[in-house]
Amino acid sequence: MKVIIDTNSLLSLVRYYLPFDGQQVLFEFFKKKIADGEMIIIDKVLEQCKYNARGLVLEKLDYLTDKEFLKENKIPYHTDSILAPAPSKFLRQVDNQFVNRILKNKLTDTEYEVLKERYMEDADMKLILLCLNLSQGKTEDIYIVTEETESSNDNKLFKKIPAICKELTLNTITLPELIKLYTELDFSFN
């Protein structure tokens, strides 16, 4: 199993789980999974971690700022040249299926293209593109770990990760679901 984790899931980990992880079981477990390449941190997520919640994720998961650890384990996964397996088809899906049509209709073509270009470079889209690429011809399960919900769109131009993944038949799970999947993880809260 491989998982690609988003910024909000890492933030939830450090805010709501690690404070109760007195013996650092979760801390070490996540570190090992990241080092082994089973848990993927992309460059855009690592960049967001610097700014979200005043860098709390990088403060608490200090190995994500350890240059030796990052270099040795080839972290983060660089997404600057990642493309969809069928780029033309995917861009049509972005324009027709992944967009909030009501908001799109209020924009000029130029405004829409600028916002679409920005979204295509965003961490959410890079997570989806990586998952698409890793899923090609693979038999192992690949998940995007996200705390987003499919339904709420918060008046954003593009749909959220779970909604897009549902249309692309990609797997998404939440952080609690991920922790539950790891049967070798044995810990209790004090």
Side-chain angles (χ1 to χ4, degrees), residues 2 8 13-14 37 83 92 127:
K2 280 199 186 299
N8 288 330
L13 174 69
V14 301
L83 297 171
R92 283 191 303 275
L127 290 165

Side-chain angles (χ1 to χ4, degrees), residues 4-22:
I4 311 162
I5 193 162
D6 76 353
T7 308
N8 288 330
S9 297
L10 289 171
L11 190 56
S12 291
L13 174 69
V14 301
R15 276 188 173 158
Y16 308 121
Y17 293 84
L18 292 187
F20 301 100
D21 188 29

Side-chain angles (χ1 to χ4, degrees), residues 73-135:
N73 297 296
K74 296 178 181 143
I75 300 165
Y77 189 102
H78 294 282
T79 60
D80 46 351
S81 61
I82 196 165
L83 297 171
S88 298
K89 177 185 174 190
F90 188 79
L91 287 175
R92 283 191 303 275
Q93 286 178 300
V94 170
D95 290 334
N96 299 311
Q97 293 173 263
F98 306 158
V99 70
N100 179 335
R101 289 186 175 274
I102 295 169
L103 292 178
K104 181 182 177 185
N105 291 339
K106 293 179 181 179
L107 300 171
T108 66
D109 289 344
T110 306
E111 290 171 326
Y112 172 71
E113 286 302 320
V114 168
L115 292 172
K116 180 174 92 171
E117 185 66 32
R118 210 176 285 155
Y119 183 69
M120 293 302 292
E121 293 301 318
D122 187 61
D124 289 358
M125 183 52 70
K126 295 297 185 175
L127 290 165
I128 292 166
L129 289 172
L130 179 57
C131 190
L132 266 176
N133 279 281
L134 292 176
S135 298

